[in-house]
Amino acid sequence: MTLDLSRAFRQRFRGGSSAEYLAIASLMRTIGANVPEAKRVLIICAGRPIATLGGHLPLDRALEISDWP
């Protein structure tokens, strides 16, 4: 599954490593709970790949939902 974040979401993100972890974990857990057929999620922004949301977690490849219990 591909999750396309808005440009505003990324531009307004002002967190450190803990906030970044919590934001990504929340997204992954929400998808896992509501889209059971999704196994991996690629997070992009405004239709383009992103390396990271805030500089701490790599988002350059799909994340396994099972890694975010």
Side-chain angles (χ1 to χ4, degrees), residues 42-56:
L42 177 63
I43 299 175
I44 63 175
C45 179
R48 296 181 178 249
I50 57 174
T52 184
L53 179 61
H56 306 282

Side-chain angles (χ1 to χ4, degrees), residues 17-68:
S17 60
S18 293
E20 184 176 5
Y21 174 84
L22 291 172
I24 299 300
S26 177
L27 292 169
M28 295 299 288
R29 290 176 185 145
T30 298
I31 292 168
N34 293 288
V35 188
E37 62 273 15
K39 303 300 180 208
R40 296 183 305 150
V41 177
L42 177 63
I43 299 175
I44 63 175
C45 179
R48 296 181 178 249
I50 57 174
T52 184
L53 179 61
H56 306 282
L57 287 173
L59 299 177
D60 57 345
R61 62 181 179 270
L63 302 174
E64 298 284 334
I65 290 179
S66 62
D67 290 341
W68 303 85

